[in-house]
């Protein structure tokens, strides 16, 4: 099993744009067969505010994760809902 984690610092989104972004990304979990689980949300940690949002997904292996990342629906979601607002990003993939 591969755990895919992405942390973002997003700036300039309205609350409506944020809600739509989360809805669109979580829908990818149901729409893309290579995704076993996917969740996205705002960082609520009082310990660190470097990143404003996080995304977590599970895949059987690295190849499935790469198919998800390169899937046209994922690419469209990134282009329309993330790219205009991303100021920083960190990605960690690890096998368990």
């Amino acid at each position: 099993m591969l755990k895919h984690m992405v942390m973002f610092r997003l700036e300039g989104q309205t609350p409506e744009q944020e809600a739509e972004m989360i809805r669109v990304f979580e829908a990818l979990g149901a729409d893309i067969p290579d995704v076993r689980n996917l969740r996205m949300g705002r960082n609520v940690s009082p310990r660190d505010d470097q990143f404003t949002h996080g995304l977590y997904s599970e895949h059987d292996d690295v190849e499935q994760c790469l198919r998800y990342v390169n899937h046209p629906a994922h690419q469209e979601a990134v282009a329309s809902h993330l790219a205009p607002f991303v100021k920083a990003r960190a990605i960690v993939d690890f096998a368990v």
Side-chain angles (χ1 to χ4, degrees), residues 20-59:
E20 178 66 4
M21 172 193 68
I22 292 169
R23 186 197 67 72
V24 165
F25 272 89
E26 288 196 342
L28 293 176
D31 295 342
I32 300 175
D34 292 307
V35 177
R36 300 292 164 243
N37 185 25
L38 190 148
R39 294 289 180 255
M40 184 179 206
R42 175 173 281 280
N43 181 8
V44 296
S45 173
R47 300 180 323 161
D48 189 347
D49 64 355
Q50 181 176 356
F51 295 101
T52 59
H53 294 78
L55 180 142
Y56 166 84
S57 62
E58 295 177 338
H59 311 270

Side-chain angles (χ1 to χ4, degrees), residues 48-88:
D48 189 347
D49 64 355
Q50 181 176 356
F51 295 101
T52 59
H53 294 78
L55 180 142
Y56 166 84
S57 62
E58 295 177 338
H59 311 270
D60 288 344
D61 52 36
V62 173
E63 291 76 20
Q64 272 194 355
C65 184
L66 292 174
R67 285 194 299 269
Y68 155 71
V69 168
N70 293 308
H71 193 282
H74 176 266
Q75 293 293 315
E76 173 59 28
V78 168
S80 18
H81 297 286
L82 274 177
F85 307 106
V86 172
K87 300 304 177 195

